[in-house]
PDB file of all heavy atoms in Angstrom:
ATOM      1  N   THR A  23     199.618  87.354  97.599  1.00  0.00           N
ATOM      2  CA  THR A  23     199.964  88.718  97.983  1.00  0.00           C
ATOM      3  C   THR A  23     199.021  89.680  97.266  1.00  0.00           C
ATOM      4  O   THR A  23     198.661  89.449  96.109  1.00  0.00           O
ATOM      5  CB  THR A  23     201.421  89.035  97.596  1.00  0.00           C
ATOM      6  OG1 THR A  23     202.272  88.075  98.239  1.00  0.00           O
ATOM      7  CG2 THR A  23     201.825  90.423  98.025  1.00  0.00           C
ATOM      8  N   VAL A  24     198.633  90.740  97.938  1.00  0.00           N
ATOM      9  CA  VAL A  24     197.743  91.731  97.337  1.00  0.00           C
ATOM     10  C   VAL A  24     198.343  92.240  96.035  1.00  0.00           C
ATOM     11  O   VAL A  24     199.517  92.612  95.974  1.00  0.00           O
ATOM     12  CB  VAL A  24     197.506  92.915  98.302  1.00  0.00           C
ATOM     13  CG1 VAL A  24     196.759  94.036  97.616  1.00  0.00           C
ATOM     14  CG2 VAL A  24     196.742  92.461  99.523  1.00  0.00           C
ATOM     15  N   ASP A  25     197.538  92.252  94.994  1.00  0.00           N
ATOM     16  CA  ASP A  25     197.920  92.800  93.697  1.00  0.00           C
ATOM     17  C   ASP A  25     197.390  94.236  93.643  1.00  0.00           C
ATOM     18  O   ASP A  25     196.173  94.447  93.617  1.00  0.00           O
ATOM     19  CB  ASP A  25     197.314  91.951  92.585  1.00  0.00           C
ATOM     20  CG  ASP A  25     197.590  92.475  91.191  1.00  0.00           C
ATOM     21  OD1 ASP A  25     198.190  93.561  91.039  1.00  0.00           O
ATOM     22  OD2 ASP A  25     197.185  91.794  90.231  1.00  0.00           O
ATOM     23  N   ALA A  26     198.289  95.200  93.628  1.00  0.00           N
ATOM     24  CA  ALA A  26     197.898  96.623  93.662  1.00  0.00           C
ATOM     25  C   ALA A  26     196.987  96.992  92.488  1.00  0.00           C
ATOM     26  O   ALA A  26     196.169  97.904  92.614  1.00  0.00           O
ATOM     27  CB  ALA A  26     199.140  97.507  93.665  1.00  0.00           C
ATOM     28  N   GLN A  27     197.109  96.296  91.371  1.00  0.00           N
ATOM     29  CA  GLN A  27     196.271  96.588  90.200  1.00  0.00           C
ATOM     30  C   GLN A  27     194.802  96.228  90.437  1.00  0.00           C
ATOM     31  O   GLN A  27     193.924  96.759  89.768  1.00  0.00           O
ATOM     32  CB  GLN A  27     196.801  95.837  88.966  1.00  0.00           C
ATOM     33  CG  GLN A  27     198.219  96.206  88.590  1.00  0.00           C
ATOM     34  CD  GLN A  27     198.363  97.672  88.242  1.00  0.00           C
ATOM     35  OE1 GLN A  27     197.537  98.232  87.528  1.00  0.00           O
ATOM     36  NE2 GLN A  27     199.397  98.305  88.763  1.00  0.00           N
ATOM     37  N   ARG A  28     194.559  95.331  91.379  1.00  0.00           N
ATOM     38  CA  ARG A  28     193.188  94.888  91.660  1.00  0.00           C
ATOM     39  C   ARG A  28     192.577  95.623  92.852  1.00  0.00           C
ATOM     40  O   ARG A  28     191.444  95.368  93.234  1.00  0.00           O
ATOM     41  CB  ARG A  28     193.194  93.384  91.920  1.00  0.00           C
ATOM     42  CG  ARG A  28     193.657  92.593  90.705  1.00  0.00           C
ATOM     43  CD  ARG A  28     193.976  91.160  91.015  1.00  0.00           C
ATOM     44  NE  ARG A  28     192.827  90.429  91.523  1.00  0.00           N
ATOM     45  CZ  ARG A  28     192.911  89.194  92.011  1.00  0.00           C
ATOM     46  NH1 ARG A  28     194.083  88.561  92.048  1.00  0.00           N
ATOM     47  NH2 ARG A  28     191.840  88.590  92.465  1.00  0.00           N
ATOM     48  N   LEU A  29     193.345  96.550  93.443  1.00  0.00           N
ATOM     49  CA  LEU A  29     192.938  97.256  94.654  1.00  0.00           C
ATOM     50  C   LEU A  29     192.527  98.689  94.347  1.00  0.00           C
ATOM     51  O   LEU A  29     193.236  99.410  93.659  1.00  0.00           O
ATOM     52  CB  LEU A  29     194.099  97.261  95.658  1.00  0.00           C
ATOM     53  CG  LEU A  29     193.866  97.960  96.982  1.00  0.00           C
ATOM     54  CD1 LEU A  29     192.801  97.231  97.806  1.00  0.00           C
ATOM     55  CD2 LEU A  29     195.172  98.038  97.762  1.00  0.00           C
ATOM     56  N   GLU A  30     191.385  99.075  94.867  1.00  0.00           N
ATOM     57  CA  GLU A  30     190.930 100.465  94.796  1.00  0.00           C
ATOM     58  C   GLU A  30     190.717 100.937  96.227  1.00  0.00           C
ATOM     59  O   GLU A  30     190.042 100.264  97.018  1.00  0.00           O
ATOM     60  CB  GLU A  30     189.602 100.573  94.020  1.00  0.00           C
ATOM     61  CG  GLU A  30     189.020 101.970  94.039  1.00  0.00           C
ATOM     62  CD  GLU A  30     187.585 102.040  93.523  1.00  0.00           C
ATOM     63  OE1 GLU A  30     186.985 101.001  93.210  1.00  0.00           O
ATOM     64  OE2 GLU A  30     187.055 103.168  93.466  1.00  0.00           O
ATOM     65  N   ILE A  31     191.276 102.091  96.557  1.00  0.00           N
ATOM     66  CA  ILE A  31     191.051 102.697  97.874  1.00  0.00           C
ATOM     67  C   ILE A  31     190.344 104.014  97.638  1.00  0.00           C
ATOM     68  O   ILE A  31     190.846 104.879  96.913  1.00  0.00           O
ATOM     69  CB  ILE A  31     192.381 102.908  98.633  1.00  0.00           C
ATOM     70  CG1 ILE A  31     193.098 101.561  98.827  1.00  0.00           C
ATOM     71  CG2 ILE A  31     192.117 103.583  99.982  1.00  0.00           C
ATOM     72  CD1 ILE A  31     194.480 101.672  99.448  1.00  0.00           C
ATOM     73  N   ARG A  32     189.162 104.152  98.227  1.00  0.00           N
ATOM     74  CA  ARG A  32     188.368 105.368  98.044  1.00  0.00           C
ATOM     75  C   ARG A  32     187.578 105.689  99.299  1.00  0.00           C
ATOM     76  O   ARG A  32     187.374 104.829 100.155  1.00  0.00           O
ATOM     77  CB  ARG A  32     187.436 105.225  96.852  1.00  0.00           C
ATOM     78  CG  ARG A  32     186.380 104.150  97.050  1.00  0.00           C
ATOM     79  CD  ARG A  32     185.202 104.366  96.120  1.00  0.00           C
ATOM     80  NE  ARG A  32     184.228 103.312  96.194  1.00  0.00           N
ATOM     81  CZ  ARG A  32     183.291 103.201  97.143  1.00  0.00           C
ATOM     82  NH1 ARG A  32     183.225 104.066  98.125  1.00  0.00           N
ATOM     83  NH2 ARG A  32     182.418 102.212  97.116  1.00  0.00           N
ATOM     84  N   ARG A  33     187.131 106.936  99.386  1.00  0.00           N
ATOM     85  CA  ARG A  33     186.341 107.377 100.540  1.00  0.00           C
ATOM     86  C   ARG A  33     185.025 106.616 100.608  1.00  0.00           C
ATOM     87  O   ARG A  33     184.429 106.285  99.588  1.00  0.00           O
ATOM     88  CB  ARG A  33     186.031 108.874 100.440  1.00  0.00           C
ATOM     89  CG  ARG A  33     187.200 109.752 100.782  1.00  0.00           C
ATOM     90  CD  ARG A  33     186.874 111.203 100.527  1.00  0.00           C
ATOM     91  NE  ARG A  33     185.957 111.700 101.532  1.00  0.00           N
ATOM     92  CZ  ARG A  33     186.122 112.825 102.195  1.00  0.00           C
ATOM     93  NH1 ARG A  33     187.171 113.587 101.956  1.00  0.00           N
ATOM     94  NH2 ARG A  33     185.240 113.226 103.078  1.00  0.00           N
ATOM     95  N   VAL A  34     184.586 106.373 101.822  1.00  0.00           N
ATOM     96  CA  VAL A  34     183.290 105.736 102.040  1.00  0.00           C
ATOM     97  C   VAL A  34     182.181 106.691 101.589  1.00  0.00           C
ATOM     98  O   VAL A  34     182.319 107.913 101.701  1.00  0.00           O
ATOM     99  CB  VAL A  34     183.124 105.320 103.523  1.00  0.00           C
ATOM    100  CG1 VAL A  34     183.040 106.504 104.444  1.00  0.00           C
ATOM    101  CG2 VAL A  34     181.932 104.408 103.708  1.00  0.00           C
ATOM    102  N   ARG A  35     181.097 106.127 101.065  1.00  0.00           N
ATOM    103  CA  ARG A  35     179.947 106.906 100.597  1.00  0.00           C
ATOM    104  C   ARG A  35     178.666 106.325 101.199  1.00  0.00           C
ATOM    105  O   ARG A  35     178.633 105.150 101.581  1.00  0.00           O
ATOM    106  CB  ARG A  35     179.840 106.837  99.070  1.00  0.00           C
ATOM    107  CG  ARG A  35     181.076 107.251  98.336  1.00  0.00           C
ATOM    108  CD  ARG A  35     180.842 107.271  96.833  1.00  0.00           C
ATOM    109  NE  ARG A  35     180.854 105.954  96.233  1.00  0.00           N
ATOM    110  CZ  ARG A  35     181.674 105.595  95.242  1.00  0.00           C
ATOM    111  NH1 ARG A  35     182.564 106.428  94.772  1.00  0.00           N
ATOM    112  NH2 ARG A  35     181.582 104.394  94.732  1.00  0.00           N
ATOM    113  N   GLY A  36     177.642 107.131 101.221  1.00  0.00           N
ATOM    114  CA  GLY A  36     176.344 106.684 101.723  1.00  0.00           C
ATOM    115  C   GLY A  36     175.818 105.470 100.985  1.00  0.00           C
ATOM    116  O   GLY A  36     175.158 104.608 101.574  1.00  0.00           O
ATOM    117  N   SER A  37     176.139 105.362  99.704  1.00  0.00           N
ATOM    118  CA  SER A  37     175.667 104.225  98.905  1.00  0.00           C
ATOM    119  C   SER A  37     176.371 102.913  99.269  1.00  0.00           C
ATOM    120  O   SER A  37     175.998 101.854  98.774  1.00  0.00           O
ATOM    121  CB  SER A  37     175.850 104.517  97.411  1.00  0.00           C
ATOM    122  OG  SER A  37     177.213 104.758  97.121  1.00  0.00           O
ATOM    123  N   ASP A  38     177.359 102.972 100.152  1.00  0.00           N
ATOM    124  CA  ASP A  38     178.085 101.771 100.578  1.00  0.00           C
ATOM    125  C   ASP A  38     177.445 101.078 101.780  1.00  0.00           C
ATOM    126  O   ASP A  38     177.986 100.091 102.270  1.00  0.00           O
ATOM    127  CB  ASP A  38     179.533 102.134 100.974  1.00  0.00           C
ATOM    128  CG  ASP A  38     180.341 102.661  99.818  1.00  0.00           C
ATOM    129  OD1 ASP A  38     180.232 102.091  98.712  1.00  0.00           O
ATOM    130  OD2 ASP A  38     181.098 103.637 100.027  1.00  0.00           O
ATOM    131  N   GLN A  39     176.330 101.565 102.269  1.00  0.00           N
ATOM    132  CA  GLN A  39     175.764 101.101 103.538  1.00  0.00           C
ATOM    133  C   GLN A  39     175.607  99.584 103.636  1.00  0.00           C
ATOM    134  O   GLN A  39     175.926  98.996 104.662  1.00  0.00           O
ATOM    135  CB  GLN A  39     174.416 101.791 103.799  1.00  0.00           C
ATOM    136  CG  GLN A  39     174.017 101.796 105.244  1.00  0.00           C
ATOM    137  CD  GLN A  39     175.001 102.556 106.140  1.00  0.00           C
ATOM    138  OE1 GLN A  39     175.335 103.692 105.895  1.00  0.00           O
ATOM    139  NE2 GLN A  39     175.462 101.902 107.193  1.00  0.00           N
ATOM    140  N   ALA A  40     175.142  98.926 102.583  1.00  0.00           N
ATOM    141  CA  ALA A  40     174.950  97.467 102.641  1.00  0.00           C
ATOM    142  C   ALA A  40     176.287  96.752 102.853  1.00  0.00           C
ATOM    143  O   ALA A  40     176.369  95.820 103.669  1.00  0.00           O
ATOM    144  CB  ALA A  40     174.276  96.966 101.365  1.00  0.00           C
ATOM    145  N   GLU A  41     177.335  97.185 102.154  1.00  0.00           N
ATOM    146  CA  GLU A  41     178.656  96.567 102.303  1.00  0.00           C
ATOM    147  C   GLU A  41     179.226  96.814 103.697  1.00  0.00           C
ATOM    148  O   GLU A  41     179.869  95.948 104.279  1.00  0.00           O
ATOM    149  CB  GLU A  41     179.635  97.092 101.245  1.00  0.00           C
ATOM    150  CG  GLU A  41     179.335  96.615  99.840  1.00  0.00           C
ATOM    151  CD  GLU A  41     178.283  97.465  99.133  1.00  0.00           C
ATOM    152  OE1 GLU A  41     177.789  98.466  99.710  1.00  0.00           O
ATOM    153  OE2 GLU A  41     177.934  97.108  98.005  1.00  0.00           O
ATOM    154  N   LEU A  42     178.972  98.006 104.231  1.00  0.00           N
ATOM    155  CA  LEU A  42     179.478  98.338 105.563  1.00  0.00           C
ATOM    156  C   LEU A  42     178.862  97.419 106.608  1.00  0.00           C
ATOM    157  O   LEU A  42     179.551  96.937 107.509  1.00  0.00           O
ATOM    158  CB  LEU A  42     179.184  99.796 105.921  1.00  0.00           C
ATOM    159  CG  LEU A  42     179.680 100.873 104.951  1.00  0.00           C
ATOM    160  CD1 LEU A  42     179.377 102.255 105.515  1.00  0.00           C
ATOM    161  CD2 LEU A  42     181.145 100.716 104.623  1.00  0.00           C
ATOM    162  N   GLY A  43     177.575  97.180 106.494  1.00  0.00           N
ATOM    163  CA  GLY A  43     176.880  96.327 107.451  1.00  0.00           C
ATOM    164  C   GLY A  43     177.308  94.873 107.395  1.00  0.00           C
ATOM    165  O   GLY A  43     177.221  94.153 108.384  1.00  0.00           O
ATOM    166  N   ALA A  44     177.792  94.424 106.241  1.00  0.00           N
ATOM    167  CA  ALA A  44     178.205  93.025 106.073  1.00  0.00           C
ATOM    168  C   ALA A  44     179.679  92.806 106.410  1.00  0.00           C
ATOM    169  O   ALA A  44     180.126  91.664 106.476  1.00  0.00           O
ATOM    170  CB  ALA A  44     177.932  92.586 104.635  1.00  0.00           C
ATOM    171  N   PHE A  45     180.434  93.883 106.660  1.00  0.00           N
ATOM    172  CA  PHE A  45     181.872  93.743 106.915  1.00  0.00           C
ATOM    173  C   PHE A  45     182.115  92.983 108.208  1.00  0.00           C
ATOM    174  O   PHE A  45     181.497  93.239 109.229  1.00  0.00           O
ATOM    175  CB  PHE A  45     182.523  95.132 107.000  1.00  0.00           C
ATOM    176  CG  PHE A  45     184.012  95.080 107.179  1.00  0.00           C
ATOM    177  CD1 PHE A  45     184.838  94.822 106.095  1.00  0.00           C
ATOM    178  CD2 PHE A  45     184.588  95.290 108.420  1.00  0.00           C
ATOM    179  CE1 PHE A  45     186.213  94.774 106.243  1.00  0.00           C
ATOM    180  CE2 PHE A  45     185.962  95.238 108.588  1.00  0.00           C
ATOM    181  CZ  PHE A  45     186.782  94.985 107.490  1.00  0.00           C
ATOM    182  N   GLU A  46     183.070  92.042 108.167  1.00  0.00           N
ATOM    183  CA  GLU A  46     183.407  91.227 109.339  1.00  0.00           C
ATOM    184  C   GLU A  46     184.920  91.028 109.385  1.00  0.00           C
ATOM    185  O   GLU A  46     185.498  90.367 108.521  1.00  0.00           O
ATOM    186  CB  GLU A  46     182.706  89.869 109.274  1.00  0.00           C
ATOM    187  CG  GLU A  46     183.105  88.899 110.353  1.00  0.00           C
ATOM    188  CD  GLU A  46     182.964  89.447 111.768  1.00  0.00           C
ATOM    189  OE1 GLU A  46     181.874  89.947 112.096  1.00  0.00           O
ATOM    190  OE2 GLU A  46     183.933  89.372 112.533  1.00  0.00           O
ATOM    191  N   CYS A  47     185.531  91.618 110.404  1.00  0.00           N
ATOM    192  CA  CYS A  47     186.984  91.481 110.556  1.00  0.00           C
ATOM    193  C   CYS A  47     187.360  90.628 111.764  1.00  0.00           C
ATOM    194  O   CYS A  47     188.539  90.340 111.975  1.00  0.00           O
ATOM    195  CB  CYS A  47     187.637  92.850 110.665  1.00  0.00           C
ATOM    196  SG  CYS A  47     187.262  93.728 112.197  1.00  0.00           S
TER     197      CYS A  47
END
């Protein structure tokens, strides 16, 4: 089960581009 202590939710930023391109759902 997701552990809330290990989760960060934040706004997307331009510096996230590499992670965005690798995302696969």
